[in-house]
């Protein structure tokens, strides 16, 4: 074997993902999970190509591969500083990288683990700490947030532009169908932010489902899906949210409700993860798994009912040329989180709308839940880029009349940067079915 | 209507007042030269000769340099947050796409424009600090692995597409622009950038220039060197030169060809003009199965011998198809010993004609099954399996090691059979994906780094494949570059005289040896050490080098 | 015996006297002629000829430098293959030019804009440097990135770096079918069409505009050529006549290239293809989809070089220049320095082809 002598001559170190986790985590279930994820990464760097922050900032530390490295260092016992925390904070958790990754690295899961450990080791200080605590406590409580939002809406004309952008004009849910009409029933997520900001979204979903022979129910004591607290580093509170919701939904499911309807894709991702979130809870693990299994994005439900939907649409006159021009922004939680690409788009096209092709449609709009508040500068740059891609030049004759999306966060974020109307796509289907377009 | 523009004034090919070559003439007469004393023809530079003597014989040591002044200078040059110095920030830069070789750099600089690159280069040149350029960090030979005493110069922030010109079919881009982003930007004009390395979604054009990257379509459309017209280069001392031009040729020696593929050893590309190619109207792909690897190898030669230049001609062996098929579901025949993917592109008429001829040749060579893609979706699916081969290896095995030799096509089957024997010898599995049309091999050796000894066996296995590639009349690297990974194998492919010329070329561009030291071209000393264990035809390699 | 020939070459080199490397002498008219050139000894490569290896299914031929282009192309033709870059043969006797000379001059023919230049087809070579060392670079495979690309550097080096011994070239199958069409057009619309069609997936393999006539050659599968022919229009040129026309362009024998006056130089400008018609006070011949422009001019070299520079082009005083001391476009100082240092690396004693490319190297 001629080369055996040569091998020792090469200065060589261990392969990257041969991990040496530190004592504090090595034998925990989290440690094992993290190690398994790290071992799947082959360091090819494909993820950087579709990462919004890497594309914006061009620093390895602001892309998925670099963050995996930062997390690995922490898991191996290095003491993180605010630098590591900053780069992890800058991640939008859009999971575009997961769609791109050829090796199937579960990046978002690793990031959750990394953030939890780093936040435990690097205390939040100053404005950052106050903002986070405020959002953790206010946003998930429908009642509290609702009051704050109503106040904001009443004084909207008086607000400075930056804050005004976050407070949409007051709308109503519109006429709601009787929930007792149909034998087929599905449960809506009451949510936290969405009913106050955009009550018409669930209203529209209820009307569209009603036309398809399905009644949409609300479970009184259900609330926030838990995503806000989970992503602000309070997983235990998020588990409480999940347990409370499961308790609220359970009797309805037992009574024959066939699915949980999600009209915000971010909530859909969170609820679909309940099984994983409560896997170590013996009282809830089975119920959580069933809830996760029955969770559907509204686009999945309409696709399953598309024959019936099409039958109704065929009898309607086509939309007029101007109002059918539309741009669809697919939320990261929809296309990367739920892996539903082209589904809502297909429903809109079938309903007679004309969708503009969008450059870099895989990129995040910068909303990313609380990100738009915590990383305002990056968030705003991403929003400007996204709006430019969605709307094209002002002079274009094919400039879309409406932007449609599928998640409340994106809708309010985008609406804050343009005069063009931004809606949930199901509202547009509702408009079609009710003859408004 | 076509708009014709006159290029901007002041391009630097114009005669400028001649300048005293700062370390050129030196007044040193060559005692043996016929050149007279008054003759300034030859730029005989003592500096270069000294550098050559040093770098050719021995790897350099930069350990004794004092860095404080350099750092304070770099901080003034670079924007806030664009100079990384602490280990927490540096570790993620310790390797590129080949993570087996890693080093923590002295610092990482993230300049935003060419002026900052120039200033950084000047500062490092004056401090005598090595510089390793880095693009997207997707390279597979450790070419962008840092130097412990050196600066990593990331070009990732230089990512502007400066101009796309439909009529001249060119794009001017900064080095950090992704390969695929050029094609996306050119798509509205019916044009694209032809070289398509597998990492094209992420790899940057600067890195492509450094490595002379290829791809699956280069038999017909060429490598990077065939598709780049002009490069602006910052030299080691901070001087900026333009190589090539927007015309098809330029005056003097072909420095552009020399620069492309020089692995960051000669200069830093800060702007690249690429040629764009009209998008073929139509493409179709044949998927052919063979029950014997030799028949598949012979079929490759037969297609070419029939006067056909396919747009792509790829071969995968059974272990490769079996790894890929379960998760891509490309429809590969997993009972075949090997499959070929043969693509034709062009006008509809051309493709129809070529597909028919290829089909006839493949049938004549004993293909057991032939399928022709019936739609664009099916054609993409056929390729999806091939393009997913590397990651598929990552899914069936914890680690894999990708080789990159090139051999004459007639030896493809011999190589596959030899690799099967090596699998037994080393007790490791290997799956093979070949750019068969140009003889470029990518054997993927599967191993588990957590099993003691497997990595070492893998490297020995790989080294034997490289040696076989050279013995078969080929080369140790077709498109991934030598980098750090194959530096010893270079001693196999080149004798000391050729290496001396390489060091001479290096010294001509970078007399102080600051750009990417220790990569691509081994020192004679390294080869002597390497050759100690390795005797060629009864003779010791590099007998003139004293051994330690 | 070839090894004896190579030993003789080495003996000549080791004498350390200036050497002018020459094959068939078909390009004696080309390049600079410094006063010192007369003192140079001649190194004749023609003794070193023959095909080393040729395997059509590899698309590679390895050939000794002194082999004539005619002999090489004949062998390739028996297997329906050819040198796609169509190296010019020049001279009255087309059988004189050698492959070594073709590589050293680096010139390409009509197909250059669509298939690539000579340098694009050089895969590897063996050379002898200025101290008599035999060196091998590149190889016989299409893809090879081990070490610097010295082989391509030698293409167009005008014999100033080393003596090319053998060269490995990529060859291609001859096109299945060819057709040439002619369209009567003025220069400006002809340039516009060449550039527009260059951006479309058409099987164009050569273009030439001169004297109000745009000639287009189409190469490829017969149905594709036929479709393109219908799409582009124009008149079909009879096959023999077309072949003669393209050969005359390739070999510099087209009537346009003949000397017009004792004071006029034939200039070759390599320009971006979209450059508007050049104002050169006379007629032009345009090739390569607009990227190569020929004209005769009595203007001074400085004037023409200034014009070229304004267009982002390089100009070569290709033939008939009254003064042949500097026929190529000048460099920026940084580029000149690189030329000088590279020359030193290959030819430390300054033996080879001194001044043929530039006075400084």
């Amino acid at each position: 074997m001629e080369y055996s002598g040569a091998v020792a001559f090469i200065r060589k170190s261990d392969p990257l993902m041969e991990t040496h986790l530190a004592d504090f985590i090595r034998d925990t279930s989290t440690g094992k999970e993290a190690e398994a994820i790290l071992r799947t990464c082959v360091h090819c760097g494909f993820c950087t190509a579709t990462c919004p922050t890497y594309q914006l900032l061009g620093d390895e530390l602001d892309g998925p591969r670099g963050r995996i490295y930062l997390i690995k260092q922490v898991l191996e016992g290095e003491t993180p500083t605010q630098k590591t925390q900053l780069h992890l904070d800058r991640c939008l958790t859009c999971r575009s990288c997961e769609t791109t990754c050829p090796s199937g690295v579960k990046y978002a899961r690793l990031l959750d683990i990394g953030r939890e450990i780093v936040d435990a080791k690097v205390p939040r200080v100053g404005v950052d700490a106050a903002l986070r605590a405020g959002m953790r406590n206010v946003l998930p409580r429908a009642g509290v947030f609702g009051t704050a939002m109503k106040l904001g809406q009443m004084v909207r004309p008086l607000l400075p532009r930056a804050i005004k952008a976050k407070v949409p004009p007051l709308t109503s849910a519109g006429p709601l169908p009787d929930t007792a009409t149909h034998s087929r029933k599905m449960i809506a997520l009451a949510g936290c932010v969405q009913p106050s900001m955009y009550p018409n979204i669930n209203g529209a979903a209820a009307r569209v489902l009603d036309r398809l022979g399905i009644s949409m129910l609300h479970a009184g004591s259900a609330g926030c899906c838990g995503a806000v607290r989970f992503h602000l580093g309070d997983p235990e509170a998020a588990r409480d949210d999940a347990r409370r919701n499961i308790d609220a939904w359970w009797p309805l499911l037992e009574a024959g409700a066939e699915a949980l309807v999600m009209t915000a894709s971010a909530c859909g991702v969170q609820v679909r993860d309940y099984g994983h979130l409560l896997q170590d809870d013996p009282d809830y693990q089975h119920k959580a798994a069933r809830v996760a299994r029955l969770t559907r994005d509204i686009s999945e439900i309409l696709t399953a009912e598309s024959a019936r939907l099409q039958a109704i649409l065929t009898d309607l006159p086509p939309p007029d040329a101007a109002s059918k021009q539309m741009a669809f922004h697919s939320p990261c939680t929809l296309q990367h989180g739920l892996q539903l690409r082209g589904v809502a788009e297909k429903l809109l096209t079938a309903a007679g709308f004309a969708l503009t092709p969008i450059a870099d449609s895989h990129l995040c709009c910068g909303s990313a839940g609380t990100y738009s508040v915590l990383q305002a500068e990056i968030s705003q740059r991403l929003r400007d880029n996204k709006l430019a891609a969605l709307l094209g030049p002002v002079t274009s004759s094919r400039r879309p009349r409406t932007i449609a999306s599928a998640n409340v966060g994106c809708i309010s974020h985008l609406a804050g940067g343009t005069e063009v109307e931004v809606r949930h796509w199901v509202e547009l289907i509702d408009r079609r079915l009710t003859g408004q377009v | 209507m076509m708009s014709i523009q006159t290029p901007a004034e002041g391009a630097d090919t114009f005669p400028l007042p001649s300048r005293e070559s700062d370390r050129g003439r030196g007044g040193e007469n060559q005692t043996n030269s016929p050149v007279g004393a008054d003759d300034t023809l030859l730029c005989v530079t003592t500096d270069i000769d000294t550098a050559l003597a040093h770098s050719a014989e021995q790897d350099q040591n930069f350990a004794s340099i004092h860095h404080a002044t350099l750092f304070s200078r770099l901080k003034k040059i670079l924007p806030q947050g664009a100079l990384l110095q602490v280990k927490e920030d540096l570790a993620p830069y310790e390797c590129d796409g080949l993570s087996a070789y890693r080093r923590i750099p002295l610092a990482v600089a993230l300049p935003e424009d060419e002026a900052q690159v120039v200033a950084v280069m000047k500062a490092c040149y004056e401090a005598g600090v090595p510089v390793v350029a880095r693009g997207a960090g997707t390279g597979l030979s450790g070419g962008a692995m840092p130097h412990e005493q050196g600066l990593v110069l990331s070009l990732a922030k230089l990512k502007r597409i400066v101009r796309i010109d439909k009529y001249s079919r060119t794009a001017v881009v900064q080095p950090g622009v992704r390969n695929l982003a050029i094609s996306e930007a050119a798509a509205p004009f019916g044009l694209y950038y032809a070289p398509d390395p597998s990492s094209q979604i992420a790899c940057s054009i600067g890195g492509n220039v450094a490595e002379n990257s290829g791809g699956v379509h280069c038999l017909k459309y060429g490598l990077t060197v065939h598709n780049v017209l002009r490069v602006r280069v910052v030299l080691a001392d901070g001087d900026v030169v333009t190589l090539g031009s927007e015309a098809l040729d330029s005056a003097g020696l072909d420095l552009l060809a020399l620069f492309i593929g020089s692995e960051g050893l000669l200069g830093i590309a800060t702007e690249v003009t690429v040629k764009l190619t009209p998008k073929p109207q139509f493409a179709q792909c044949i998927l052919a199965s063979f029950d014997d690897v030799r028949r598949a190898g012979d079929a490759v030669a037969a297609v070419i011998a029939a006067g056909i230049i396919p747009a792509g001609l790829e071969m995968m062996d059974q272990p490769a198809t079996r790894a890929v098929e379960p998760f891509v579901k490309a429809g590969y025949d997993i009972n075949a010993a090997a499959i070929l993917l043969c693509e034709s592109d062009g006008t509809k008429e051309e493709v129809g004609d070529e597909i028919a001829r290829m089909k006839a040749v493949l049938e004549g060579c004993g293909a057991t099954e032939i399928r022709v893609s019936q739609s664009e979706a099916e054609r993409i699916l056929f390729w999806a399996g091939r393009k997913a081969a590397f990651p598929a290896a990552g899914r069936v095995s914890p680690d894999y090691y990708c080789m990159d030799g090139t051999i004459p096509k007639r030896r493809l089957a011999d190589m596959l059979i030899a690799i099967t024997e090596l699998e037994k010898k080393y007790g490791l599995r290997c799956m093979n994906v070949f750019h068969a049309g140009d003889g470029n091999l990518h054997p993927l050796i599967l191993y588990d780094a957590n099993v003691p000894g497997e990595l070492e066996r893998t490297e020995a296995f790989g080294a034997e494949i490289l040696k076989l590639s050279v013995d078969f009349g080929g080369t140790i690297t077709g498109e991934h570059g030598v980098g750090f990974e194959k530096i010893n194998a270079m001693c196999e492919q080149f004798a000391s005289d050729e290496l001396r010329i390489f060091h001479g070329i290096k010294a001509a561009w970078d007399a102080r040896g600051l750009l990417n030291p220790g990569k691509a071209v081994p020192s004679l000393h390294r080869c002597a050490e390497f050759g100690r264990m390795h005797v060629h035809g009864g003779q010791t390699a590099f007998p003139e080098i004293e051994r330690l | 015996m070839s090894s004896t020939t190579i030993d003789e070459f080495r003996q000549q080199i080791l004498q350390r006297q200036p050497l002018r490397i020459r094959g068939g002498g078909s390009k004696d008219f080309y390049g600079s002629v410094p006063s010192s050139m007369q003192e140079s000894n001649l190194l004749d490569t023609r003794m070193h000829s023959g095909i080393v290896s040729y395997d059509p299914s590899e698309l590679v031929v390895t050939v000794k430098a002194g082999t004539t282009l005619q002999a090489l192309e004949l062998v390739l033709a028996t297997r329906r293959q050819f040198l796609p870059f169509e190296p010019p043969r020049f001279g009255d006797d087309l059988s004189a030019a050698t492959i070594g000379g073709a590589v050293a001059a680096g010139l390409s023919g009509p197909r250059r804009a669509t298939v690539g230049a000579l340098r694009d087809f050089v895969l590897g070579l063996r050379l002898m440097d200025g101290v008599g060392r035999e060196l091998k670079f590149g190889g016989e495979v299409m893809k090879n990135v081990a070490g610097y690309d010295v082989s391509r550097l030698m293409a167009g080096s005008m014999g100033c770096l080393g003596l090319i011994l053998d060269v490995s070239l990529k060859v291609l199958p001859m096109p299945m079918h060819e057709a040439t069409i002619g369209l009567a057009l003025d220069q400006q619309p002809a340039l516009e069409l060449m550039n527009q069609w260059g951006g479309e997936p058409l099987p164009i393999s050569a273009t030439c505009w001169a004297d109000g006539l745009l000639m287009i050659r189409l190469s490829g599968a017969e149905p594709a050529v036929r479709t393109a022919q219908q799409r582009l229009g124009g008149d079909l040129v009879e096959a023999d006549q077309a072949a003669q026309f393209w050969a005359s362009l390739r070999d510099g024998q087209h009537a346009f290239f003949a000397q017009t006056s004792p004071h006029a130089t034939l200039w070759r400008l390599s320009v971006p293809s979209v450059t508007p018609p050049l104002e050169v006070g006379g007629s032009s011949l345009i090739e390569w989809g607009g990227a190569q422009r020929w004209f005769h001019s009595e203007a001074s070299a400085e004037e023409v070089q200034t014009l070229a520079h304004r267009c982002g082009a390089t100009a070569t005083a290709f033939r008939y220049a009254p003064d042949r001391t500097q026929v190529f476009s000048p460099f920026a100082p940084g580029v000149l320095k690189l030329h000088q240092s590279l020359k030193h690396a290959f030819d430390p004693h300054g033996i080879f082809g001194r001044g043929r490319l530039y006075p400084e190297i």
Side-chain angles (χ1 to χ4, degrees), chain A residues 53-96:
Chain A
T53 52
Y54 182 84
Q55 288 309 309
L56 212 57
L57 303 170
D59 184 345
E60 183 77 17
L61 306 176
D62 290 315
R65 183 172 63 173
R67 293 188 188 109
I68 289 173
Y69 233 112
L70 291 168
I71 294 166
K72 176 175 173 276
Q73 291 188 90
V74 175
L75 294 172
E76 292 187 339
E78 300 273 335
T79 310
T81 70
Q82 282 175 344
K83 286 167 182 289
T84 293
Q85 192 172 48
L86 172 69
H87 294 299
L88 298 190
D89 281 352
R90 279 187 186 159
C91 173
L92 297 138
T93 332
C94 70
R95 299 170 72 178
S96 179

Side-chain angles (χ1 to χ4, degrees), chain C residues 4 7-8 29 47 105 109 114 126 144 155 164 177 194 196 267-268 321-322 329 331-332 334 338 358:
Chain C
T4 323
D7 288 340
E8 282 170 19
F29 68 84
M47 287 293 288
T114 44
R126 211 156 54 88
N144 184 356
I164 299 170
H177 188 73
M194 282 190 263
Q196 185 197 316
W267 285 93
R268 179 177 94 85
S329 287
F331 299 130
L338 286 172
Y358 284 91

Side-chain angles (χ1 to χ4, degrees), chain B residues 74-126:
Chain B
L74 290 175
K75 269 185 202 142
K76 280 180 208 135
I77 295 165
L78 294 162
Q80 177 110 41
L83 181 67
L84 312 180
Q85 286 174 277
V86 298
K87 184 172 173 272
E88 186 179 7
D89 288 344
L90 296 175
Y93 282 91
E94 70 180 350
C95 61
D96 57 16
L98 180 66
S99 56
Y101 304 112
R102 315 194 296 272
R103 281 177 192 157
I104 301 280
L106 183 68
V108 175
L110 298 151
E112 289 177 343
D113 55 35
E114 188 189 88
Q116 289 175 14
V117 173
V118 167
V120 168
M121 292 304 293
K122 281 191 171 142
C124 289
Y125 180 77
E126 281 157 31

Side-chain angles (χ1 to χ4, degrees), chain A residues 21-290:
Chain A
L21 296 203
D23 291 343
F24 78 94
I25 194 145
R26 188 187 303 132
D27 298 321
T28 64
S29 71
T30 307
K32 283 177 187 147
E33 190 183 2
E35 180 154 23
I37 298 170
L38 285 170
R39 292 284 288 139
T40 55
C41 174
V42 297
H43 213 249
C44 67
F46 285 21
C47 52
T48 57
T50 57
C51 172
T53 52
Y54 182 84
Q55 288 309 309
L56 212 57
L57 303 170
D59 184 345
E60 183 77 17
L61 306 176
D62 290 315
R65 183 172 63 173
R67 293 188 188 109
I68 289 173
Y69 233 112
L70 291 168
I71 294 166
K72 176 175 173 276
Q73 291 188 90
V74 175
L75 294 172
E76 292 187 339
E78 300 273 335
T79 310
T81 70
Q82 282 175 344
K83 286 167 182 289
T84 293
Q85 192 172 48
L86 172 69
H87 294 299
L88 298 190
D89 281 352
R90 279 187 186 159
C91 173
L92 297 138
T93 332
C94 70
R95 299 170 72 178
S96 179
C97 54
E98 290 190 13
T99 299
T100 309
C101 177
S103 306
V105 175
K106 293 196 174 99
Y107 166 82
R109 182 62 201 129
L110 185 67
L111 183 77
D112 286 340
I113 295 170
R115 280 178 168 164
E116 199 172 336
I117 298 167
V118 171
D119 285 350
K121 296 193 177 206
V122 185
R124 299 278 176 186
V125 289
V127 180
D128 188 32
L131 268 177
R132 280 166 191 274
M135 284 192 294
R136 255 201 312 267
N137 293 327
V138 176
L139 292 186
R141 293 184 195 158
V144 181
F145 184 74
T147 312
M149 189 52 76
K150 280 219 176 66
L151 266 171
Q153 279 161 343
M154 277 185 269
V155 297
R156 193 173 188 271
L158 313 170
L159 294 176
R161 189 170 157 76
I163 297 176
K164 190 158 80 178
K166 291 262 170 291
V167 185
L170 192 59
T171 57
S172 82
L176 291 175
D178 180 0
T179 55
T181 320
H182 306 292
S183 60
R184 292 184 68 188
K185 297 191 192 304
M186 294 182 182
I187 310 167
L189 177 68
C192 36
V193 178
Q194 186 174 295
S196 335
M197 286 172 85
Y198 299 98
N200 189 51
I201 296 176
N202 272 353
R207 284 186 292 277
V208 172
L209 288 178
D210 185 59
R211 292 290 297 272
L212 298 170
I214 300 166
S215 290
M216 200 169 99
L217 311 175
H218 285 88
S221 51
C224 175
C225 64
V228 172
R229 284 196 270 243
F230 188 80
H231 292 297
L232 286 171
D234 196 351
E236 211 28 67
R239 286 187 193 103
D240 288 340
D241 285 331
R243 290 189 195 99
R244 184 202 56 229
N245 288 349
I246 291 168
D247 286 343
W249 296 329
W250 200 252
L252 296 174
L253 288 173
E254 290 289 90
E258 54 186 284
L260 285 143
V261 187
M262 299 292 138
T263 52
S265 52
C267 304
V269 170
Q270 182 73 10
V271 178
R272 204 168 261 185
D273 197 44
Y274 276 7
H276 180 258
L277 192 67
L278 295 173
Q279 64 183 357
D280 295 331
D281 182 337
D283 297 335
Y284 279 87
Q285 62 193 34
H286 296 296
K287 286 181 181 178
R290 184 173 165 206

Side-chain angles (χ1 to χ4, degrees), chain B residues 474-545:
Chain B
T475 174
I476 56 171
T477 174
E479 58 183 1
H480 294 171
V482 173
F484 184 72
E485 178 208 15
K486 291 181 276 285
I487 191 111
N488 286 347
M490 280 292 280
C491 311
E492 189 77 59
Q493 188 165 338
F494 293 99
S496 54
D497 283 347
E498 282 94 16
L499 292 176
R500 281 212 172 82
I501 287 286
F502 288 155
H503 286 291
I505 291 169
K506 167 72 171 169
W509 292 67
D510 173 20
R512 300 181 70 174
L514 295 178
L515 289 172
N516 216 2
K519 308 277 182 65
V521 180
S523 68
L524 298 180
H525 179 263
R526 178 182 273 274
C527 284
E529 271 297 297
F530 173 70
R532 196 167 53 170
M533 302 299 294
H534 177 66
V535 177
H536 240 335
Q539 283 181 319
T540 307
F542 307 98
E544 70 280 21
I545 302 289

Side-chain angles (χ1 to χ4, degrees), chain C residues 75-96:
Chain C
V75 171
L76 298 178
T78 60
R79 308 303 296 262
R80 281 199 54 81
Q81 294 189 335
F82 76 137
L83 300 174
F85 48 91
E86 299 182 321
R89 289 163 295 194
F90 300 119
D92 299 329
D93 178 8
L94 291 182
S95 67

